[in-house]
Amino acid sequence: MIEKLVHINRVSKTVKGGKRFGFAALVVVGDGQGRAGFGHGKAREVPEAISKATAAAKKKMIRVPLKEGRTLHHDGKGHFGAGKVTLRSAPQGTGIIAGGPMRAVFESLGVADVVTKSNGTSNPYNMIRATFEALGEQTSPKSVAARRGKKVADLLGRGGASAAVAEVEAAAITE
């Protein structure tokens, strides 16, 4: 499991004797093979908050189909609150072009090539929720073909591609 600490926030509660400090942690967890989740934990001490967030993240993991095990199958958009994110699949060698919290999601997910853009907010909570919303909409050609009762080669053969090329690409798709 790959665990990435994205954000720690110190919060205080004013009580009769002064201030009580607590910590909130945001953690992203993934297996590097297409599964990832995020969690939020609060406690009086930092390590305890991180462990709570990690446990929550492991409970809420989602599976994302990856193309060739390194990028997304298609572009996607997601938004949560004021945060809007755009995810685009990228050719080999591009790397992860993503800002702060989104980078942690893709590193733990096992995505090697992706281009992203975040608009509207830099709040890590909303950015990560928007990213997971966009990732939740990802589908593989295999699942679309199964849902529509067609062969993967039929889907990939659209748009003027030759049938032979479509067959080869369909055979190359694992998920």
Side-chain angles (χ1 to χ4, degrees):
M1 284 288 192
I2 302 165
E3 297 175 12
K4 300 263 183 196
L5 177 64
V6 177
H7 187 70
I8 291 183
N9 190 23
R10 188 181 81 165
V11 292
S12 67
K13 176 183 181 183
T14 306
V15 292
K16 185 174 155 190
K19 290 182 178 169
R20 285 227 176 111
F21 292 105
F23 296 91
L26 179 63
V27 172
V28 173
V29 171
D31 64 355
Q33 303 291 318
R35 282 176 40 118
F38 71 96
H40 174 228
K42 294 193 286 188
R44 297 287 301 276
E45 302 295 329
V46 175
E48 203 176 320
I50 291 171
S51 65
K52 282 183 182 181
T54 304
K58 286 179 181 172
K59 277 186 194 171
K60 294 194 289 184
M61 288 181 85
I62 62 165
R63 174 160 289 292
V64 179
L66 300 180
K67 181 180 181 182
E68 300 163 12
R70 60 164 190 84
T71 189
L72 304 174
H73 279 288
H74 56 84
D75 300 354
K77 289 185 179 187
H79 82 96
F80 186 89
K84 295 178 200 62
V85 298
T86 306
L87 316 178
R88 301 187 65 202
S89 56
Q92 185 122 26
T94 304
I96 301 173
I97 300 174
M102 291 168 71
R103 175 176 289 274
V105 172
F106 291 115
E107 284 174 352
S108 61
L109 193 60
V111 173
D113 303 303
V114 69
V115 177
T116 67
K117 179 64 184 163
S118 157
N119 294 319
T121 186
S122 59
N123 178 342
Y125 292 92
N126 289 348
M127 278 175 73
I128 283 185
R129 284 203 171 104
T131 305
F132 272 90
E133 185 182 300
L135 289 172
E137 294 168 1
Q138 288 287 314
T139 56
S140 67
K142 207 175 210 178
S143 65
V144 172
R147 192 171 63 233
R148 293 178 57 194
K150 293 180 176 264
K151 292 186 187 134
V152 177
D154 293 342
L155 296 180
L156 297 176
R158 305 285 298 169
S162 71
V165 172
E167 286 287 345
V168 171
E169 286 182 359
I173 292 176
T174 56
E175 187 176 342

